[in-house]
Amino acid sequence: MHALLILASAEGGANPLAFEILPAITAFTVFGVAFAILSVKVWPTIAKGLDERNSKIVGEIKAAEEARAAAKAAQAEFERSLANVKRRADVVLCSSRATMDDCLVAGLAADRLRLVPLGVATDRASHLDVARVRRRYGLPAEYLLFVGTVEPRKNLRRLVAARSRVPDAPPLIVVGAEGWGATGVGTDAPGVRFLGFVPEGDLAGLYAAAAAFCYPSELEGYGLPVLEAMAQATPVVTSRGTATEET
């Protein structure tokens, strides 16, 4: 028995790769969407009560919309994988109600869907952690923070435009590797600084030191960075009508 996991990729891979669905541990990335096939034994709590049925954990359906615009090959692979989910899954575990709605639109029966929100396991950053990341990245006393793969659906262009209309707004620090597609925000945008990929050990301090975490993404299956920021008691600004609103 195995499960298919579909979720946002932290690194935002840009190359479409195709693999057959195998009853073994494997993974691949299609334009920022990571697919992993793993034994349900890794998920004893989730697997409990499913008897001998196959389960599929689906994180992001809407990414198919942007995959269509980016590459027909990636879209075909996504649709093939979705067809496998429809055909083989008795239970589909969804990380958000927004994803459940997407599954319904995609043709999955409501009685096969289960809501299983994600979570984060992290410690609160200490004053020493905050001081260390401030020194390491030369951060100002006050800043706005974005964390995520830098790609069009993250809506950075609107965030930068909104910030530009606020007098004396703190600078925007953008953390995350480059994904696919043009965001409309150059690295020379006034008041915006791109740090690129940062080690996981620095994230808690970056969240904790921020005046606010800004995540106006238009398409999300869940949006873990919102939860990560809340875990550091950092105020969050995010989008309506997406999974991040549920968090």
Side-chain angles (χ1 to χ4, degrees):
M1 186 160 59
H2 62 274
L4 173 66
L5 174 66
I6 306 177
L7 71 165
S9 168
E11 290 77 21
N15 296 321
L17 303 174
F19 289 82
E20 291 298 320
I21 292 184
L22 303 174
I25 297 175
T26 187
F28 62 97
T29 302
V30 179
F31 289 101
V33 180
F35 296 70
I37 303 170
L38 65 159
S39 168
V40 294
K41 292 180 180 178
V42 178
W43 298 78
T45 302
I46 292 177
K48 183 178 181 181
L50 295 184
D51 301 320
E52 295 302 317
R53 298 175 296 178
N54 286 338
S55 63
K56 298 292 183 285
I57 306 171
V58 179
E60 292 200 14
I61 292 292
K62 283 190 175 178
E65 298 173 10
E66 293 202 34
R68 180 181 297 112
K72 291 182 179 179
Q75 175 63 18
E77 173 60 25
F78 184 94
E79 291 178 350
R80 186 189 67 80
S81 298
L82 182 59
N84 270 335
V85 172
K86 290 180 180 179
R87 184 175 66 256
R88 299 171 61 181
D90 295 306
V91 176
V92 179
L93 306 182
C94 304
S95 59
S96 66
R97 293 191 180 279
T99 294
M100 291 183 75
D101 291 342
D102 292 338
C103 287
L104 290 171
V105 171
L108 288 158
D111 60 2
R112 298 163 70 188
L113 306 181
R114 303 291 186 273
L115 177 62
V116 183
L118 304 180
V120 297
T122 185
D123 296 325
R124 287 287 295 273
S126 67
H127 294 299
L128 292 177
D129 293 328
V130 171
R132 178 177 58 80
V133 297
R134 284 192 185 279
R135 288 193 304 270
R136 180 170 187 174
Y137 299 105
L139 298 173
E142 189 176 41
Y143 63 90
L144 306 175
L145 180 67
F146 169 90
V147 175
T149 307
V150 180
E151 58 189 32
R153 70 187 176 97
K154 300 298 184 178
N155 205 14
L156 273 175
R157 178 165 53 185
R158 186 172 298 176
L159 174 58
V160 171
R163 180 201 163 276
S164 69
R165 293 196 289 269
V166 178
D168 301 319
L172 173 63
I173 305 298
V174 177
V175 172
E178 291 187 9
W180 66 272
T183 64
V185 179
T187 56
D188 58 348
V192 182
R193 182 180 166 200
F194 290 81
L195 298 186
F197 174 83
V198 304
E200 184 177 355
D202 290 347
L203 285 176
L206 287 166
Y207 281 122
F213 177 66
C214 303
Y215 200 71
S217 182
E218 295 175 319
L219 298 173
E220 291 292 334
Y222 187 79
L224 274 175
V226 170
L227 204 56
E228 292 172 344
M230 289 179 172
Q232 300 301 328
T234 300
V236 172
V237 179
T238 192
S239 306
R240 284 186 174 181
T242 71
T244 59
E245 184 179 9
E246 300 175 33
T247 308

